[in-house]
Amino acid sequence: MKKTDFRTWGLLALVGVVVLSLSSCATIVSGGSPKIILDGDVDEHVTIVTEKQVYNDVTLPYQVKVNRHAIDGQRITIKSDNYEYKDVMLEKKVNEWAFGNIIFGGLIGWGVDLLTNCVSKPSHTRYSVIKTEKQK
């Protein structure tokens, strides 16, 4: 009888994990840190600073990771010795995958996506960097 109880609980746990995994469409498809590509007419190595990470001595175009939990208004700063760069300000939009929860996941999936903030994503995935001569 104890083997049956163990198997039953194991099966229920497996079903629960599968249901929770399949019920949060946006988290599954878009989970992790969003990636942004910075591009522009830049002929030098730069330092890129996001809320997630600092990228030293890179050339553009370059892909960076940004913080998923603070997309709207998040600032990406680019620094160099020779030029000044206008900061990139991120804006968010609704992640289309979050609507999969209406069909498949219901409230559980929507809740998981809200907790992971996968219901939103950056409005653009590519930004052009603007440089100006440094004031001396």
Side-chain angles (χ1 to χ4, degrees):
M1 187 140 122
K2 288 187 178 186
K3 284 186 179 181
T4 305
D5 289 339
F6 178 73
R7 288 180 187 164
T8 303
W9 283 112
L11 182 62
L12 285 173
L14 180 64
V15 168
V17 168
V18 169
V19 167
L20 286 175
S21 296
L22 295 177
S23 65
S24 52
C25 296
T27 302
I28 293 167
V29 175
S30 305
S33 299
K35 295 173 181 76
I36 303 293
I37 297 173
L38 299 174
D39 199 359
D41 184 26
V42 178
D43 54 355
E44 67 175 344
H45 290 254
V46 296
T47 298
I48 302 170
V49 180
T50 70
E51 287 185 15
K52 187 89 176 158
Q53 193 170 346
V54 175
Y55 304 87
N56 290 308
D57 198 32
V58 299
T59 57
L60 300 183
Y62 198 80
Q63 185 178 47
V64 298
K65 293 181 181 180
V66 296
N67 185 0
R68 176 170 298 285
H69 293 284
I71 294 172
D72 211 21
Q74 188 173 157
R75 182 182 308 266
I76 300 173
T77 306
I78 299 108
K79 302 174 184 178
S80 81
D81 294 334
N82 301 318
Y83 297 100
E84 291 182 356
Y85 296 91
K86 184 176 179 183
D87 289 351
V88 174
M89 295 294 286
L90 301 182
E91 295 177 355
K92 68 179 178 179
K93 70 176 185 177
V94 174
N95 186 347
E96 305 84 25
W97 286 103
F99 294 112
N101 289 321
I102 295 170
I103 298 168
F104 298 111
L107 291 176
I108 293 172
W110 189 256
V112 171
D113 285 346
L114 284 172
L115 287 172
T116 60
N117 197 34
C118 287
V119 294
S120 62
K121 66 180 184 179
S123 61
H124 302 289
T125 56
R126 189 180 220 44
Y127 288 88
S128 184
V129 174
I130 300 170
K131 70 179 180 179
T132 58
E133 290 292 328
K134 229 176 205 184
Q135 301 290 333
K136 294 184 181 186

